Amino acid sequence: MVNSQGRLALAAVNPAAQAAGLAPGQGLADARALCPALATAPADGAADARALAALADWCLRYTPWTAPDPSAGIGAGIWLDITGCAHLFASPQCPEGEAALLADLVERLGRSGFVARAAVADTPGAAWALARFGPARTAVVPPGTQRSALAPLPVAALRLPAAAVEDLERLGLRRVGDLYDLPRAAVEARFGAERSGQVLRRLDQALGLSPEPISRHNPRLGRPLPPWRARLALAEPISRSEDVAAGLARLLGQLCPRLEREGRGARRLELCLFRSDASLDRAAIGTSRPSRDPDHLAALFAERLAGLETGAEGDGGIELMVLEATATEPMTPAQTTLDRWVAGTEALAAAEAFGAAEAFGAAGLGPLVDRLAARLGAANVMRLAAHESHLPERAVRRRPVHVRDRGHAWTQDRERPIRLLARPEPVRVTAATGGAPDRFDWRRAIHHVARAEGPERLAPEWWRAEAAASEGAPFRDYYRVEDRAGGRFWLFRAGDDWFLHGLFG
Amino acid sequence: MLSGPDIDDRRTAEDRLSALRAQLAVIEGLPEMAAGGRRDQVLPFASVPGLTGLAEALPWAGLPRPALHEVIAAGPAPADAAATGFCAALLGALALHAAAPVLWIVRDTTLYGPGLAAFGLDPARLVLVRAPRNRDVLWAMEEGLRSPALAAVLGEADDVSLFASRRLQLAAEGTGVTGLLLRRAGSRVPPPSAAVTRWRVQPIAGEALQASDAIVRTCWQVELLRCRGGRPGTWIIDFRTEEDAHGRTTDSVPVPALLRDGSDPPRRAAG
């Protein structure tokens, strides 16, 4: 039920309502009159769109190109470009495989509770028309015959707006075939340029007379199709995690040698698990550097797959696994296995990352870093790089372990704390002599200062001084102080305020 | 078993001592330490700047490397910074000794690179991992301990069961990667663990060198709480920087000034 132009109307009907003569678009009052027992619920367009998108994802099992087609009012659908895919379903009875693909699609959807119609044709327009208005639940239009296949269908099958359909019907043009022989000039004269252009464009597209460009990009993923793809169809649905791991090993066994032949390594891999209940699970991993070592990649997936819900046998089991390398980078042969990193150019990269002198063995860290990043997040695995700044909180940067950049030397000429608080914490200095504090409160404890050194004046870089000045004091006076219990603090004064910034070992 | 003429021979005495230590290690159940020739399995305290005086604390004159060690802070901040410094000194020496990087698994982001460098741990040799949950810390520690590419792994874990520490100890034995558990929460001594040694580090106010001395310097009371075959005791570790001893220089790597057993009269350390 949907609110349409100020009145409540039916958005969709179930088979029982259809049998009672109800149809989408009908006003609620009319529908109630026809069928007093009608049960209604508000339409949730967003939820419908989500469900359709999920179903389009699931259809990736047939082809890497699928897209949801909301087609509000007529019946939502899903586009599948099966160019080069149908032969996988070919059999002696069905050498083209297209009919078998459609039968499989409709049957699987039916088992999951979806009533579906499907059609294959040369043009998207013809397939759309046959799937919605064709006489049979599945239809295969042989190449070049869409003209005759479309002729008996109503003009609404041409993906036209409702107003255009009404215009055509008013003129007695009810069938697509009625349009074939109309002189184009006459159509234009009757409808005006805009409407007639619309009708003729759709007609030509459906017949294949004018091209309808469809992107070879996967619109769901928003990027070109990854050429690195391996699929494994399973005779029996699986659900045990060991079986999934074994399937993954076979997929990696297909994919990794291909990557090696092409001199590439994977930076990102995505595993799609297609379930028998028309749902789909995805697991993606990233690597810190290109890799095509099956064992290493399988170990990274293990962490992801551990959290995956494995359905019961048969129901919701996994029927198809597809592995895609969604990002790859060139990789030299020496890098093939991670154990050999030390010997190859990788060792040099690690040497640069860690500073040539300290590179010892750093190269072997790759697998460990990837495992840690897979579970804890890449941002949580880092190294510290010195940064040239006068302000202590800006003197250290956290960098990815393997990013190569020239680090600055660590300043060792002044004592610095071993722990620096995330933010300077305000303290209350209750007594001070000659600038240095005698007593201060921090975290609800009073500290009596036994020794103090300072001040060391730190000012922000001149190009940041203006910003700092607007925040308050332009410079800070730092003191190292020791309390009577032996605690060692790094305090600073900015203007009249005192802050604790760090703790010494 | 000691024969007279050999006792004066210093070298022979040392050999005998190490043989006895090896026997002791077998008795104590540390067979991997027992092979007298495997010096590379021990990080000699003599090579750790600042901690040379601890050599007599342990039967191996140093820290057994394929093992788990536990360092307990005497209290929360600011006291945990002392335990952090103690660990940084150990990790820095382990990285040099094993010529490999070290992994430090932290709970927060307060660890400060320049301060680590001051204790001899070059941040260039450090991989930092942030694990917000205790069980992630333990998991990451075990992953690190099973990776022979590392020299050592430190984890800031709050809660370590006997079972979990046993797993870590076994992982360390298997690869030779040293494990350190840094217990920052402080206040209470945690329940027993399978660590080979357990230390407690407390910052104390350094003694003034002169009446007017205002220099703030690192000074710890280090307690060996537990060690199989070790001698529990207390040591005062007082760092004096080169700056103090020789005037202004740019080298701030700390060197030990004075070490003493808590009960005995002060004696010079071999630092």
Side-chain angles (χ1 to χ4, degrees), chain A residues 354 358 360 371 375-376 380 382 392 398 410 412 415 417-420 451 453 480 482 485-486 488-489 504-505, chain B residues 81 84 99-100 109-110 112 115 117 123-125 128-130 136 143 156 203-204 206 208 215-217 219 241 252:
Chain A
F354 272 79
E358 291 84 24
F360 41 61
R371 280 199 302 280
R375 169 148 162 176
L376 301 172
N380 284 327
M382 62 200 114
R398 298 184 183 89
W410 294 91
Q412 294 207 345
E415 288 282 353
I418 195 159
R419 290 199 182 268
L420 192 76
R451 293 188 181 83
E453 276 181 276
R480 306 177 62 197
E482 182 176 280
R488 283 172 280 272
F489 305 86
F504 293 95
Chain B
T84 305
T109 55
T110 57
Y112 193 52
R125 291 168 185 155
L128 208 58
V129 173
R130 193 154 65 96
D136 288 333
E143 287 287 317
E156 298 180 1
I204 57 173
I215 300 297
V216 174
R217 67 171 177 273
C219 191
T241 62
S252 70

Side-chain angles (χ1 to χ4, degrees), chain A residues 303 353-355 357-365 368-369 371-373 375-376 379-384 391-396 398 401 410-422 442-443 447 450-453 480-490 503-505, chain B residues 77-78 80-82 84-85 88 95 99-101 103-104 108-119 122-132 135-136 139-140 143-144 147 149-150 156 182 184 203-208 213-220 241 243 250 252-253:
Chain A
E303 191 61 44
F354 272 79
E358 291 84 24
F360 41 61
L365 284 178
L368 173 67
V369 167
R371 280 199 302 280
L372 293 169
R375 169 148 162 176
L376 301 172
N380 284 327
V381 183
M382 62 200 114
R383 64 192 176 83
L384 299 176
L391 290 185
E393 63 268 34
R394 291 172 45 81
V396 177
R398 298 184 183 89
V401 173
W410 294 91
T411 53
Q412 294 207 345
D413 54 337
R414 280 181 291 260
E415 288 282 353
R416 286 292 178 261
I418 195 159
R419 290 199 182 268
L420 192 76
L421 303 182
W442 178 59
R443 292 190 183 172
H447 299 273
R451 293 188 181 83
E453 276 181 276
R480 306 177 62 197
V481 307
E482 182 176 280
D483 71 6
R484 288 182 198 158
R488 283 172 280 272
F489 305 86
W490 208 30
L503 301 164
F504 293 95
Chain B
D80 70 339
T84 305
L103 191 70
W104 190 315
D108 54 29
T109 55
T110 57
L111 207 58
Y112 193 52
L116 296 174
F119 282 99
D122 183 348
R125 291 168 185 155
L126 176 68
V127 176
L128 208 58
V129 173
R130 193 154 65 96
R135 61 189 167 100
D136 288 333
W139 171 83
E143 287 287 317
S147 168
L150 290 173
E156 298 180 1
L182 171 55
R184 288 173 65 193
I204 57 173
E207 284 174 34
D213 185 18
I215 300 297
V216 174
R217 67 171 177 273
T218 297
C219 191
W220 302 326
T241 62
E243 200 172 300
T250 56
S252 70
V253 174

Side-chain angles (χ1 to χ4, degrees), chain A residues 216-297:
Chain A
R216 289 298 298 175
H217 286 49
N218 183 332
R220 296 275 306 140
L221 306 174
R223 53 183 160 70
L225 282 176
W228 313 107
R229 196 162 189 276
R231 51 179 278 151
L232 176 65
L234 301 154
E236 289 289 320
I238 59 167
S239 57
R240 294 191 315 153
S241 53
E242 305 90 78
D243 296 338
V244 177
L248 175 63
R250 283 183 58 184
L251 290 171
L252 286 167
Q254 291 178 33
L255 198 61
C256 292
R258 281 176 50 206
L259 287 168
E260 183 163 12
R261 276 198 300 279
E262 304 281 338
R264 298 187 80 81
R267 286 297 311 277
R268 218 183 118 76
L269 285 170
E270 188 175 77
L271 178 67
C272 294
L273 304 174
F274 295 90
R275 296 182 181 279
S276 56
D277 61 357
S279 69
L280 166 67
D281 274 317
R282 294 163 185 268
I285 56 146
T287 61
S288 61
R289 44 195 40 220
S291 169
R292 52 176 179 247
D293 177 348
D295 296 337
H296 173 226
L297 296 171

